[in-house]
C-alpha cells in the first residue's frame, strides 16, 4: 500500500528545499526554542524564495508549536522551501505532515 502522506523535517539553519513538488502541508510541530521563526515559501529552489511567495510565518517560543491546518492544508504549487531561526543556539526543529498536491 502506498500512502500520499509523509513527513518533512527542518532543523535550524540556512534555507532548505524540503520538497520540490506540489505539496500540501497539513500539520506542523516545532520543538520549543526561544525566539523561533519558521518561514515557508512556495518555491522549488532556495534562490527562488522571496517575499512574493512567502506562504506562512510561524513565531513561537519555548512552549513549542503545534498546528493542525483544517481542510486541505496549505497548498505549495512548486515546492516547500523553509527557513527556521531562533534567538540563540541551533537546537530547533520542526516536523511537517504533508500530502502530495
Amino acid at each position: 500500500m502506498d500512502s500520499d502522506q509523509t513527513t518533512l523535517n527542518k532543523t535550524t539553519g540556512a534555507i532548505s528545499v524540503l520538497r520540490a513538488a506540489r505539496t500540501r502541508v497539513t500539520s506542523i510541530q516545532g520543538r520549543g526554542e526561544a525566539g523561533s521563526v519558521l518561514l515557508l515559501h512556495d518555491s522549488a529552489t532556495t534562490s527562488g524564495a522571496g517575499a512574493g511567495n512567502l506562504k506562512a510565518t510561524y513565531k513561537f517560543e519555548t512552549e513549542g508549536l503545534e498546528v493542525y491546518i483544517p481542510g486541505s492544508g496549505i497548498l505549495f504549487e512548486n515546492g516547500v522551501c523553509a527557513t527556521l531561526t531562533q534567538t540563540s543556539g541551533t537546537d530547533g526543529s520542526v516536523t511537517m505532515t504533508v500530502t502530495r498536491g
Side-chain angles (χ1 to χ4, degrees), residues 1 18-19 45 60 98:
M1 182 177 186
L18 302 182
R19 188 159 188 241
T45 65
F60 55 101
V98 301

Side-chain angles (χ1 to χ4, degrees), residues 17 19-23 41-45 53 75-80:
V17 175
R19 188 159 188 241
R22 185 178 161 104
T23 304
H41 294 269
D42 186 347
S43 180
T45 65
N53 58 17
L75 175 62
F76 294 80
E77 291 280 350
N78 303 296
V80 180

